Amino acid sequence: MYNYARRKKYPDTMVFLDVVITECCSLKCRNCSNLMQYYHKPENLDPEEVIASLRRIFKAVRVKQLKILGGEPFVSQKVLMRILEYLREEALDRIDEVEVITNGTIVPSEECIRSMKETPKLKVLFSNYGELSSKLEEFMQICRDEGIDCDVAETDYWWDFGGVNERDEKERRTQHRYDACYSRKHCNTLFRGKLYACPRQAHAIRLGISPEVEGEYVDVLNSENEDPAKLHDAIYRLIDRKERITMCKACGCDSNIKIERALQTERPLDVSHGS
Ligand code: SF4
């Protein structure tokens, strides 16, 4: 029903697309649901690979809201600026909104501010983690002064997604988790040339926590998907997928347990300890 209503309202449009531009983060949150706490050697992504993927996606579908995130996107301002340049020059007619999501720990360079200012439809969304978001006020003031749209997402607590070990539970429970999952409906994730159901799956595969299972992702840069019609169908097969993905077994997004937001760890966690 959800997808049917959405499809009717926005034909040939992905309503949400999360685009990861870096694995690096300026915070070390021990309970990051996207699993950034397990990266021991995080890397910035190659902007040209991100752009090549986006070029194909925009030939196949429109995107209502494109979210740019990391890690922390302002750790890799060169990558961000190159992607914004591409969006401005080639893709803005295929997108309704561009949102850059930041934890408010970094004030971007003047060059980066200019690049954001020159990008129509762009908004900066701050996740407010209190004292940790030490540059939020300064960065927001710059946005106001420069006429860059911005907003703050106030987060008093997080939901505990738990560790990355497989749950000992009935299949029906795992399937229900997927059926009700917010992330798979709002956070389909482009990461390293592939489109995933959610960011947790994307990073779990990269980290070797979860296997890469055919049919559970779209290989955007695969030669077959050069054909926009084929990529269009592959994207909708992923969006409409009824059967839960492998990673749902190692996910506690339905735990209903509130935890302290952005609790920091001194060093990256080991996957083997991710119970
Ligand atoms: S792993 Fe499954 S249940 Fe967890 S966020 Fe992703 S799609 Fe949702």
Side-chain angles (χ1 to χ4, degrees), residues 161 174 177-178 181-184 197-201 244-253:
F161 275 43
T174 319
R177 178 177 304 124
Y178 175 79
C181 176
Y182 176 94
S183 290
R184 77 169 179 95
C198 71
R200 191 171 174 92
Q201 176 204 20
R244 59 98 173 168
I245 55 171
T246 305
M247 187 57 195
C248 301
K249 192 103 182 145
C251 177
C253 66

Side-chain angles (χ1 to χ4, degrees), residues 44 49 57 60 67 71 119 149 154 164 172 178-179 190 209 213 229-230 241 243:
N44 293 330
E49 185 189 69
I57 288 174
K67 292 175 266 170
T119 308
D149 194 7
E154 296 292 352
V164 291
R172 209 173 46 186
Y178 175 79
D179 292 342
L190 178 68
I209 293 167
V213 178
K230 282 197 175 147
R241 188 185 164 89
E243 192 190 337

Side-chain angles (χ1 to χ4, degrees), residues 3 7 178 184 235-242:
N3 279 335
R7 190 75 50 79
Y178 175 79
R184 77 169 179 95
I235 289 172
Y236 277 110
R237 265 198 304 281
L238 184 74
I239 291 175
D240 290 341
R241 188 185 164 89
K242 299 269 181 295

Side-chain angles (χ1 to χ4, degrees), residues 2-10 15-16 185 239:
Y2 172 81
N3 279 335
Y4 174 74
R6 184 164 71 167
R7 190 75 50 79
K8 218 173 150 193
K9 195 167 174 195
Y10 306 109
V15 179
F16 303 103
K185 293 172 189 167
I239 291 175

Side-chain angles (χ1 to χ4, degrees), residues 20-22 44-48 50-51 73 76-84:
V20 178
I21 66 165
T22 180
N44 293 330
L45 269 64
D46 173 359
E48 300 312 320
V50 178
I51 290 167
S76 57
Q77 292 176 40
K78 280 199 175 133
V79 179
L80 175 63
M81 285 190 285
R82 173 66 189 110
I83 290 168
L84 293 183

Side-chain angles (χ1 to χ4, degrees), residues 32-49:
C32 175
S33 60
N34 290 3
L35 307 177
M36 310 316 294
Q37 66 277 40
Y38 295 108
Y39 276 96
H40 285 251
K41 290 185 181 162
E43 294 173 4
N44 293 330
L45 269 64
D46 173 359
E48 300 312 320
E49 185 189 69

